[in-house]
């Protein structure tokens, strides 16, 4: 399963975001370092279900009227402060948690109501721009530290006649969740000596920075938009980085209200309807939230998850079926599974994602939307429904 980590300074709303997105109850409080051990849970990205092309909605477990929710893993880690890579705050142990993540959502407090340590200050007095750069820098320095610590062993290996610097670096960085292909791309664009003994600190830092950028892309969740000064959010949106305005607290309130049957709202909707039985006080709070959602295009929580997976990680959703006409599996379930594959994947890649045996026995595939056989090198598109024919 793809893994998204919520990182960022303390008290920015990571655990609130996590609770809203996973419906798991974790500690949330208005002081720094509420979270110590990481929380892990299942959340979803949202996309259009292929059943929208048919007369009837599919009623799959994760489909609500054509809104399809595809599972991903969400990790909520302890807050990060400047100097964390050298042990400041809760130190760098939680940075290790990020090793397993495919992509990072950096949750910042766009209201400027918490300082760099996460301590509450008056709204608008801390510049949220500062909270973006330091997180990237801490991650880069942390990885540079890992490279440093492993350098002696690379030097030692270099005495062997079979030594290959690219192989040695790929080996060392694989523990960081970097694939050989990703490392090959980084090394292609870097200039460095073949002999590890001649490497300077700047070579190691450049390597760490490039590997981090490629393997842990970041989208910023500009959180607390419900209380943030509008110009703060606008300034953040002008950056040449992906920034999504969010209100984690708003999303949490809406999901709770939806569970209680008070509002009609599905995660990722940009609006909601208020039902019966809502008190005047609740209605006032909901109307306030509606204004923020109108202004910033929803609560942004679902949007940030979707951006991380579909834009940063460039995934598409593919739906394997056994029956190309009914779009069902062997038990008659319509569109039972959805896979998030890298853009450019082929039917063979989908076969392997379903099961290695299915991949090994791959014969051919049928595009169930057109009912035509497709070639091995066909590039899957978002929402493709595919029947795979395999000997296994
Ligand atoms: N107004 C507003 N407050 C929020 C929002 N999201 C979170 N908060 C509040 O911010 C405070 C911190 O929230 P947490 O979710 O505990 O923050 P965290 O980033 O997990 O903090 P640490 O675990 O200490 O790193 C709590 O008082 C939340 O209620 C939001 O969107 N709007
Ligand atoms: Mg927390």
């Amino acid at each position: 399963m793809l893994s998204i980590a919520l990182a960022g300074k303390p008290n920015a709303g990571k655990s609130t975001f996590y609770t809203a997105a996973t419906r798991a109850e974790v500690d949330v409080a208005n002081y720094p370092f509420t979270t110590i051990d990481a929380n892990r849970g299942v959340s979803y990205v949202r996309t259009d279900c292929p059943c929208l092309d048919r007369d009837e909605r599919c009623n799959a477990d994760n489909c609500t009227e054509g809104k399809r929710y595809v599972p991903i893993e969400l990790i909520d880690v302890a807050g990060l402060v400047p100097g964390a890579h050298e042990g400041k705050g809760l130190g760098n142990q939680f940075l290790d948690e990020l090793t397993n993540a495919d992509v990072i959502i950096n949750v910042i407090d766009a209201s400027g109501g918490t300082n760099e340590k996460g301590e509450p200050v008056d709204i608008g007095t801390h510049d949220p721009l500062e909270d973006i750069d330091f997180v990237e820098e801490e991650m880069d320095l942390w990885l540079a530290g890992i490279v440093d610590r492993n350098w002696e062993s690379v030097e030692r290996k270099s005495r062997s006649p079979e030594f290959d610097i690219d192989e040695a670096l790929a080996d060392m960085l694989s523990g960081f969740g970097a694939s050989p292909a990703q490392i090959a791309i980084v090394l292609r664009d870097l200039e460095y000596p073949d002999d590890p003994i001649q490497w300077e600190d700047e070579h190691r830092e450049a390597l760490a920075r490039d590997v981090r950028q490629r393997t842990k892309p970041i989208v910023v969740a500009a959180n607390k938009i419900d209380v943030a000064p509008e110009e703060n959010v606008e300034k953040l949106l002008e950056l040449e980085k992906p920034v999504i305005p969010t209100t984690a607290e708003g999303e949490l309130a809406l999901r709770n209200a939806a569970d209680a049957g008070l509002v009609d709202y599905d995660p990722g909707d940009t609006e909601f309807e208020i039902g019966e039985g809502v008190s005047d006080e609740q209605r006032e709070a909901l109307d306030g939230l509606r204004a923020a959602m109108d202004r910033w295009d929803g609560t942004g929580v679902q949007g940030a998850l979707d951006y991380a997976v579909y834009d940063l990680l460039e995934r598409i959703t593919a739906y394997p079926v056994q029956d190309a006409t009914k779009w069902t599996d062997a038990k008659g379930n319509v569109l039972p599974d959805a896979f998030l594959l890298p853009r450019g994947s082929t039917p063979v890649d989908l076969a392997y994602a379903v099961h290695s045996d299915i991949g090994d026995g791959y014969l051919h595939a049928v595009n169930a939307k057109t009912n035509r056989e497709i070639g091995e090198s066909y590039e899957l598109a978002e929402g493709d429904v595919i029947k795979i024919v395999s000997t296994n």
Side-chain angles (χ1 to χ4, degrees):
M1 215 191 291
L2 283 180
S3 196
I4 304 181
L6 300 167
K9 76 172 188 187
N11 219 357
K14 298 177 294 299
S15 297
T16 308
F17 188 118
Y18 176 86
T19 309
T22 62
R23 311 306 286 127
E25 287 193 20
V26 299
D27 292 340
V28 166
N30 187 21
Y31 49 78
F33 301 121
T34 305
T35 306
I36 295 177
D37 294 324
N39 301 302
R40 282 163 191 277
V42 175
S43 184
Y44 301 86
V45 290
R46 171 174 160 170
T47 185
D48 286 339
C49 187
C51 73
L52 286 166
D53 291 347
R54 311 197 110 189
D55 293 340
E56 274 181 47
R57 302 292 72 81
C58 72
N59 290 321
D61 283 350
N62 289 328
C63 177
T64 308
E65 294 158 23
K67 299 164 196 172
R68 182 82 187 206
Y69 295 93
V70 187
I72 48 104
E73 181 188 43
L74 193 61
I75 313 173
D76 166 34
V77 301
L80 178 70
V81 293
H85 72 282
E86 3 173 80
K88 295 239 169 69
L90 284 185
N92 52 22
Q93 150 220 333
F94 69 91
L95 276 166
D96 292 338
E97 300 277 354
L98 302 182
T99 311
N100 301 316
D102 296 298
V103 58
I104 311 281
I105 299 179
N106 176 11
V107 182
I108 66 166
D109 177 355
S111 78
T114 42
N115 65 18
E116 75 278 4
K117 293 185 202 138
E119 294 154 353
V121 294
D122 288 340
I123 284 194
T125 55
H126 177 79
D127 184 357
L129 288 178
E130 289 173 20
D131 302 342
I132 298 182
D133 294 339
F134 97 83
V135 167
E136 289 177 20
E137 205 172 292
E138 284 303 322
M139 287 174 63
D140 291 350
L141 291 172
W142 160 67
L143 183 56
I146 294 177
V147 172
D148 258 357
R149 284 198 294 285
N150 283 286
W151 205 253
E152 247 187 64
S153 107
V154 175
E155 285 184 355
R156 222 177 304 121
K157 280 189 202 155
S158 75
R159 293 188 203 123
S160 140
E162 284 104 65
F163 178 77
D164 178 291
I165 180 104
D166 291 6
E167 235 173 71
L169 294 179
D171 216 31
M172 170 173 79
L173 293 164
S174 64
F176 181 66
S179 71
Q182 285 172 322
I183 293 168
I185 295 172
V186 170
L187 294 177
R188 197 189 57 202
D189 295 340
L190 269 181
E191 289 202 11
Y192 54 90
D194 283 338
D195 180 356
I197 295 164
Q198 285 170 19
W199 277 55
E200 308 278 350
D201 279 351
E202 70 209 66
H203 292 117
R204 282 185 285 270
E205 274 163 29
L207 173 71
R209 192 177 51 241
D210 288 6
V211 169
R212 201 281 301 158
Q213 277 172 359
R214 192 158 282 281
T215 60
K216 308 283 177 236
I218 299 178
V219 52
V220 173
N223 196 34
K224 309 197 186 181
I225 50 167
D226 50 329
V227 290
E230 192 160 312
E231 62 271 20
N232 269 20
V233 185
E234 266 161 6
K235 226 165 74 186
L236 289 162
L237 287 173
E238 277 164 19
L239 296 175
E240 286 186 7
K241 297 179 186 244
V243 174
I244 312 257
T246 61
T247 167
E249 201 160 87
E251 176 75 6
L252 183 59
L254 274 183
R255 293 217 193 179
N256 287 338
D259 285 353
L262 299 174
V263 300
D264 192 7
Y265 171 78
D266 292 313
D269 288 353
T270 49
E271 51 190 19
F272 59 90
E273 262 171 53
I274 301 179
E276 310 266 304
V278 174
S279 69
D280 288 350
E281 205 181 317
Q282 285 169 325
R283 185 177 295 272
E284 203 177 308
L286 287 168
D287 283 340
L289 177 57
R290 193 195 302 281
M293 287 172 72
D294 285 347
R295 177 67 185 89
W296 303 112
D297 209 21
T299 71
V301 167
Q302 188 65 62
L305 295 167
D306 296 348
Y307 190 92
V309 169
Y310 289 112
D311 293 82
L312 287 183
L313 294 179
E314 302 188 336
R315 298 295 161 137
I316 53 128
T317 328
Y319 303 78
V321 293
Q322 284 211 2
D323 186 315
T325 316
K326 296 191 187 133
W327 295 7
T328 51
D329 64 8
K331 295 184 202 127
N333 302 311
V334 183
L335 295 171
D337 297 313
F339 286 82
L340 293 166
L341 302 177
R343 199 178 294 161
S345 291
T346 65
V348 184
D349 297 322
L350 176 62
Y352 274 107
V354 174
H355 198 284
S356 57
D357 288 347
I358 310 269
D360 287 341
Y362 181 91
L363 293 173
H364 69 266
V366 176
N367 180 340
K369 282 183 168 172
T370 57
N371 238 329
R372 294 231 177 91
E373 196 168 313
I374 46 178
E376 253 181 50
S377 56
Y378 169 87
E379 194 175 303
L380 294 170
E382 170 61 29
D384 268 355
V385 181
I386 305 290
K387 173 185 166 69
I388 293 160
V389 182
S390 169
T391 54
N392 295 317

